[in-house]
Amino acid sequence: MMTSYRRILTALDRSPQAATVFAQSCALVQQSQADWQIAHCIPGSAQDDRIAQTSAMELDLALMVWESQQHQHQQQEAEAQRWLQDYGHQAQELGLNPHLCTGLGNPGPWICQVAKDWQADLIIIGRRGYQTVQEVLFGSVSNDVVHHAPCCVLVVQGKPWQPDQPLAVPTDKAVPVSVS
């Protein structure tokens, strides 16, 4: 018996794996006719508590750094929204109408909070295929989501990392997607 999902949250990062996660999501959303949200988290902190720990003499410098960080976060969010809109347009070409969501924070907890707030009953997320050592060094957002999500999680497997390959890191360019 197949479970019918009403609200599917797809968490995309800017890795080459995103195209595969998007394609899998399109197929499942079409099949289930669920409401769909595509989300992207910009890694970082929405607030920097270090300013509260500075002395009066350091305050001007701390405020300049904070303002610079805020400006950088705004630029990153605007770029992420444009990148996510490309996926939204591709989904619309398939007759799908996803909601798009970007935010700043720690990706694992952020994704779980978005799923909880939106009342998702399925999260679709990619996994880069890191082995144990790489996951310890670089962390695993998918592992964090699997263990803390308020709903079911579908993990789209990435290709296992090989020692002769460069490590996958998020890119600043959208990955072209074609879904058959």
Side-chain angles (χ1 to χ4, degrees):
M1 178 178 182
M2 178 155 166
T3 302
S4 179
Y5 297 106
R6 297 173 298 106
R7 294 184 143 220
I8 297 175
L9 172 66
T10 299
L12 294 180
D13 65 5
R14 298 189 74 170
S15 70
Q17 173 90 16
T20 303
V21 174
F22 176 77
Q24 290 281 331
S25 297
C26 286
L28 192 54
V29 169
Q30 285 177 322
Q31 181 181 14
S32 66
Q33 298 180 345
D35 197 15
W36 186 24
Q37 181 164 281
I38 304 173
H40 173 70
C41 181
I42 302 161
S45 175
Q47 296 180 349
D48 193 339
D49 295 330
R50 291 175 290 184
I51 290 178
Q53 300 170 0
T54 61
S55 68
M57 293 174 59
E58 298 170 316
L59 189 57
D60 286 339
L61 178 59
L63 286 173
M64 286 177 25
V65 169
W66 181 83
E67 288 172 355
S68 174
Q69 289 174 337
Q70 294 306 306
H71 180 70
Q72 182 180 15
H73 291 159
Q74 289 170 349
Q75 288 179 322
Q76 289 174 329
E77 186 155 3
E79 173 58 30
Q81 288 173 349
R82 286 189 296 274
W83 173 78
L84 216 52
Q85 285 173 351
D86 288 342
Y87 279 108
H89 293 308
Q90 292 174 45
Q92 288 173 346
E93 290 174 5
L94 297 169
L96 303 171
N97 190 24
H99 307 273
L100 305 176
C101 174
T102 60
L104 179 68
N106 183 344
W110 184 87
I111 292 164
C112 291
Q113 188 63 51
V114 169
K116 181 180 176 186
D117 292 347
W118 192 60
Q119 298 178 347
D121 45 20
L122 177 66
I123 299 171
I124 302 175
I125 190 167
R127 180 177 180 274
R128 294 186 181 177
Y130 291 150
Q131 301 302 319
T132 305
V133 173
Q134 288 85 24
E135 282 193 9
V136 168
L137 291 173
F138 302 110
S140 172
V141 174
S142 60
N143 188 46
D144 193 24
V145 170
V146 164
H147 286 93
H148 298 99
C151 59
C152 295
V153 177
L154 171 64
V155 178
V156 178
Q157 295 294 326
K159 294 180 181 177
W161 178 77
Q162 301 296 321
D164 61 339
Q165 296 174 334
L167 292 172
V169 294
T171 64
D172 290 337
K173 304 279 186 222
V175 178
V177 175
S178 78
V179 179
S180 312

